[in-house]
Amino acid sequence: MDAAIDLTDRSQALDLANIRAQLIRLEDTITFHLIERVQFPLNQTIYVPGGVRIPGSDLSLMDYLLREQERLQSRVRRYDSPDEHPFFPDALEEPILEPLEYPEILYANNVNLNHTIKQRYIEEILPSACPNDRVDRGASQENYGSSATCDVNVLQALSRRIHFGKFVAESKFQENPEKFVQLIKTKDKKGIDEAITNMKVELKILERIKMKAETYGSDPALAEYRNKVDADAVVSLYKNTIIPLTKVVEVEYLMQRLKGTQWE
Ligand SMILES: O=C(O)C(=O)C[C@]1(C(=O)O)C=C[C@@H](O)C=C1
């Protein structure tokens, strides 16, 4: 059985094969959450601040739900884990559970791409994956809450997947510190990007994700009707957003990697 990666075990957390196995598992999570989301129309209103009236809050319905979810999950120490990054750091509370002991796996850094992830999700990913809003607003209002609930799941999975780039980067750095120190010292972001890129792995991901989206999205009961998700939209999500943003995380993490070390 393929178990989840154990981030309290340093050698496991920095083993590139383990990290890639975790990224593959997240392909399933992301695809399934997207399938859930796209059964509803876009429901543009839920992304507009004030679009849905919320007592005591000016946030959009989706932001409101995401923020409250993060507040709740912070209490069970979701954001103590080094692979989790909040969209609303100001909403987090003290955990009700005792802290877990995480070894120092990553170097101190402030890389958090959630703002960009959320923006790309709302402006690009959803419009290309969702059916259009129906003219009949009354009917779609019925699923504002359901759509926003699915959004929270997709966004949390995307954020986790993309920020796993930090573990990938740390693993690659440790494999060849001399090469990276040189590139980081000369602030050669393009050089770092080239050094962390593995086109073979990327192509394999795109091939696999197309197959997964086609397989998970087809239901014998629907076969002659239509697939539950547009496989090309999922491939494009990986090609144009997930992999490029993972690489940005890797590069930005490495740019901060020498602070306070012998190489500074
Ligand atoms: O697996 C790696 O080596 C990664 O760096 C991760 C990843 C990805 O986002 O999936 C990103 C860049 C590489 O070109 C290949 C794959």
Side-chain angles (χ1 to χ4, degrees):
M1 214 188 83
D2 101 285
I5 194 165
D6 178 3
L7 298 181
T8 61
D9 177 343
R10 191 165 198 285
S11 66
Q12 224 198 84
L14 291 179
D15 175 335
L16 195 51
N18 266 331
I19 302 169
R20 286 190 178 139
Q22 183 63 45
L23 297 184
I24 293 173
R25 291 174 122 254
L26 281 164
E27 290 169 2
D28 302 354
T29 313
I30 291 169
T31 308
F32 278 118
H33 284 320
L34 256 186
I35 288 175
E36 291 301 300
R37 174 60 183 89
V38 304
Q39 66 187 304
F40 305 115
L42 180 59
N43 286 323
Q44 184 64 44
T45 315
I46 67 176
Y47 308 105
V48 180
V52 177
R53 258 171 54 88
I54 305 168
S57 173
D58 298 330
L59 294 176
S60 72
L61 181 69
M62 203 274 288
D63 275 346
Y64 173 81
L65 195 63
L66 180 56
R67 192 168 190 279
E68 291 306 310
Q69 182 69 276
E70 290 194 337
R71 182 204 306 286
L72 182 63
Q73 293 181 336
S74 68
R75 295 192 197 146
V76 288
R77 47 178 193 218
R78 179 173 186 139
Y79 299 98
D80 286 3
S81 184
D83 60 332
E84 292 287 355
H85 298 72
F87 288 82
F88 292 97
D90 63 305
L92 306 191
E93 294 181 358
E94 283 300 310
I96 54 160
L97 301 175
E98 290 295 312
L100 283 179
E101 289 297 325
Y102 289 102
E104 289 286 320
I105 299 170
L106 298 177
Y107 262 68
N109 68 88
N110 62 5
V111 180
N112 183 332
L113 258 57
N114 279 343
H115 178 77
T116 310
I117 294 172
K118 183 148 68 80
Q119 191 176 2
R120 301 273 290 267
Y121 178 69
I122 295 171
E123 291 175 9
E124 295 166 26
I125 301 168
L126 279 178
S128 73
C130 280
N132 288 333
D133 279 0
R134 277 171 275 164
V135 185
D136 165 15
R137 303 296 315 172
S140 70
Q141 255 186 41
E142 296 301 316
N143 47 46
Y144 281 177
S146 309
S147 302
T149 303
C150 294
D151 287 330
V152 171
N153 291 335
V154 180
L155 281 170
Q156 288 185 326
L158 287 176
S159 174
R160 186 145 177 266
R161 196 295 177 188
I162 289 166
H163 288 104
F164 250 105
K166 295 185 186 182
F167 292 88
V168 181
E170 181 62 30
S171 168
K172 289 181 177 174
F173 179 88
Q174 291 194 14
E175 217 168 80
N176 196 345
E178 295 78 22
K179 175 173 159 188
F180 282 104
V181 168
Q182 174 71 17
L183 292 166
I184 298 165
K185 280 198 158 166
T186 53
K187 298 193 170 42
D188 183 357
K189 286 197 187 189
K190 191 164 170 286
I192 301 175
D193 183 78
E194 280 164 12
I196 53 110
T197 295
N198 184 329
M199 274 322 285
K200 240 175 95 180
V201 171
E202 288 189 28
L203 291 174
K204 193 95 203 123
I205 292 172
L206 297 181
E207 237 174 66
R208 195 174 47 235
I209 202 71
K210 185 164 171 66
M211 219 161 67
K212 284 185 178 179
E214 281 171 354
T215 310
Y216 304 160
S218 60
D219 182 327
L222 290 177
E224 285 173 50
Y225 177 37
R226 64 178 169 86
N227 280 344
K228 290 189 258 180
V229 68
D230 176 2
D232 290 334
V234 187
V235 173
S236 139
L237 163 66
Y238 261 82
K239 186 166 188 248
N240 301 320
T241 303
I242 296 181
I243 296 176
L245 289 184
T246 305
K247 292 206 231 185
V248 173
V249 167
E250 292 188 41
V251 173
E252 293 306 320
Y253 172 83
L254 288 169
M255 288 299 289
Q256 298 184 19
R257 178 60 178 76
L258 306 187
K259 261 186 282 165
T261 70
Q262 76 216 61
W263 293 290
E264 192 174 20

